[in-house]
Amino acid sequence: LPAKSLVRFLCTCKSWMDLIGSSSFVRTHLHRNVTKHAHVSLLCLHHQSFECQVDPDDPYVGQELQWSLFCNETFELCSKLSHPLGSTEHYGIYGSSNGLVCISDDILNFDSPIYIWNPSVRKLRTPPISSNINIKFSHVALQFGFHPGVNDYKVVRMMRTNKNALAVEVYSLRTDSWKMIEAIPPWLKCTWQDHTGIFLNGVAYHLIEKGRIFSIMSFDTGSEEFGEFITPDAISNPSDLCIGVYKEQICLLLDFYPCEVEGMDKIDLWILQEKRWKQSRPFFIPLGYYCTIGISIDNKLLMLRIDDIGGIADLHLCDYESKEVLETGIKLATMKYGEIELLFSFSYIESLVLLDDY
């Protein structure tokens, strides 16, 4: 059953409430949804009204932006997600794992409030304000996910000053506390530009740029160890690059690679296997697609065709194996801030996590 129905059944009688709210039931329900890809949605940021006006100098003026859940099969709108505290300000989502999402300000500061939220059961956890930070940081990146080895949900916050001082701290949902990571490797103490990231099996991965070198930085939230994987030589422009998870492995997708087939665009796929990049066969699609922004939980490429004038992007699902391209009819919002363009779509799987006071 969907989580919403199970929450309603909590009111049936005490024995049902005790059963549905128990840790064993929550784990069993989550395991079924994950293994069978049941009750999966697409979590997307879109305009409330598609007749919007875009101000190139300010991406938020006159825009009514909305996070919503769409059915993963029919692509119909399931529910709109207002801020859990009733705020009317825009908010960003910085990861989704086992039915939980991490939300904060859409433009992050070092003191931006962070919330762990399960919209399926309307439960919210507010991490305490960190006492580790005593200076202001110019750049902040957030990632969120589950570490199966320690059975805990983690938030990783990376902060950097204009003078290249770097700080990394980790929040544990189980202990409800922050921990500052003291051992920063020397290769991270340099000028670098963080681009995008992903979270898999307790490890946060960031695509970073150091001068002319592009690499994937990893941070294991369990062992608290850093790693670095230099990207393939063919990658020279991070704006055409997407990092994702394909069949439970970290991968890189490179858009608009020089294509020898007339009338087609080419996407190259590299998979990280045993700490080395293995190139898979390329993916060819008809001309006209703009970019790849991620991979869904059922291993479909999330791709966009963008109307630059209207600021609206049509979301397509592309099957890498069968080469089938499916138009969803979902129109994402594109937000531009200077040269930065932001588009958001994630897979979301329903769960009862936080119902058992994790």
Side-chain angles (χ1 to χ4, degrees):
L1 291 173
K4 185 176 180 179
S5 296
L6 291 169
V7 170
R8 290 171 55 201
F9 294 157
L10 291 171
C11 302
T12 304
C13 60
K14 187 178 185 303
S15 61
W16 281 29
M17 180 175 66
D18 292 341
L19 171 65
I20 296 171
S22 66
S23 297
S24 60
F25 189 95
V26 171
R27 288 195 301 268
T28 302
H29 181 263
L30 173 62
H31 181 264
R32 179 192 180 279
N33 286 354
V34 170
T35 55
K36 295 181 178 294
H37 290 171
H39 305 302
V40 174
S41 305
L42 289 170
L43 177 55
C44 302
L45 181 66
H46 61 96
H47 295 286
Q48 290 189 17
S49 171
F50 295 131
E51 297 178 359
C52 61
Q53 299 295 324
V54 178
D55 184 344
D57 298 322
D58 188 339
Y60 309 113
V61 172
Q63 295 196 31
E64 299 276 342
L65 300 182
Q66 174 71 55
W67 286 100
S68 296
L69 292 172
F70 295 84
C71 176
N72 196 54
E73 297 177 354
T74 66
F75 311 119
E76 295 181 352
L77 177 64
C78 297
S79 61
K80 295 182 178 181
L81 302 183
S82 300
H83 193 287
L85 296 181
S87 172
T88 58
E89 298 294 325
H90 296 298
Y91 66 93
I93 294 181
Y94 296 93
S96 173
S97 180
N98 295 344
L100 303 184
V101 294
C102 176
I103 69 174
S104 187
D105 297 338
D106 48 9
I107 298 180
L108 290 171
N109 294 307
F110 72 99
D111 57 351
S112 293
I114 298 172
Y115 306 99
I116 310 300
W117 179 35
N118 185 335
S120 298
V121 299
R122 301 180 182 273
K123 290 287 186 177
L124 184 73
R125 182 74 65 85
T126 304
I129 297 175
S130 172
S131 60
N132 299 320
I133 306 302
N134 53 19
I135 61 175
K136 292 185 177 181
F137 290 85
S138 61
H139 177 84
V140 180
L142 277 183
Q143 285 187 266
F144 168 76
F146 179 69
H147 196 307
V150 297
N151 190 31
D152 196 4
Y153 293 87
K154 305 278 191 172
V155 177
V156 178
R157 178 160 55 189
M158 296 185 61
M159 299 159 287
R160 179 171 53 84
T161 68
N162 292 328
K163 296 182 179 180
N164 299 325
L166 178 68
V168 178
E169 60 176 353
V170 179
Y171 169 76
S172 163
L173 183 64
R174 182 169 296 281
T175 64
D176 193 30
S177 63
W178 289 94
K179 179 180 180 180
M180 181 66 73
I181 305 302
E182 302 294 341
I184 304 296
W187 52 266
L188 270 177
K189 296 179 181 179
C190 60
T191 301
W192 55 269
Q193 175 64 51
D194 172 67
H195 288 284
T196 184
I198 200 76
F199 202 102
L200 175 65
N201 292 331
V203 182
Y205 295 87
H206 279 274
L207 173 63
I208 63 175
E209 176 183 354
K210 300 186 295 180
R212 296 183 179 181
I213 298 176
F214 299 96
S215 63
I216 302 298
M217 178 207 69
S218 67
F219 175 72
D220 190 317
T221 59
S223 65
E224 299 180 356
E225 295 179 348
F226 291 86
E228 183 180 22
F229 309 95
I230 305 298
T231 59
D233 293 337
I235 296 173
S236 59
N237 187 354
S239 63
D240 298 333
L241 192 64
C242 171
I243 181 173
V245 176
Y246 183 72
K247 295 185 176 180
E248 291 300 308
Q249 293 177 303
I250 293 296
C251 72
L252 295 175
L253 292 156
L254 180 62
D255 290 338
F256 301 124
Y257 200 65
C259 182
E260 63 276 8
V261 181
E262 184 177 355
M264 303 292 285
D265 275 337
K266 179 181 177 182
I267 298 175
D268 272 348
L269 172 66
W270 285 273
I271 297 176
L272 187 62
Q273 295 181 341
E274 298 180 350
K275 299 183 179 181
R276 294 188 176 184
W277 296 107
K278 179 182 178 181
Q279 186 172 7
S280 298
R281 66 184 186 277
F283 182 81
F284 294 95
I285 53 175
L287 286 172
Y289 288 90
Y290 180 78
C291 65
T292 306
I293 62 169
I295 300 177
S296 69
I297 193 173
D298 50 357
N299 299 307
K300 300 294 194 303
L301 308 187
L302 301 173
M303 302 191 66
L304 301 177
R305 179 182 286 165
I306 293 186
D307 174 6
D308 285 329
I309 298 177
I312 297 172
D314 293 310
L315 178 64
H316 295 70
L317 297 185
C318 304
D319 191 307
Y320 180 76
E321 300 291 340
S322 68
K323 312 302 182 185
E324 180 184 6
V325 178
L326 183 62
E327 185 175 356
T328 67
I330 301 173
K331 297 183 181 294
L332 303 185
T334 63
M335 299 189 303
K336 294 182 179 180
Y337 195 84
E339 297 181 354
I340 301 175
E341 189 172 75
L342 305 174
L343 306 107
F344 300 98
S345 179
F346 308 93
S347 283
Y348 174 81
I349 188 164
E350 285 189 12
S351 80
L352 301 171
V353 179
L354 291 188
L355 191 65
D356 58 343
D357 294 325
Y358 184 94

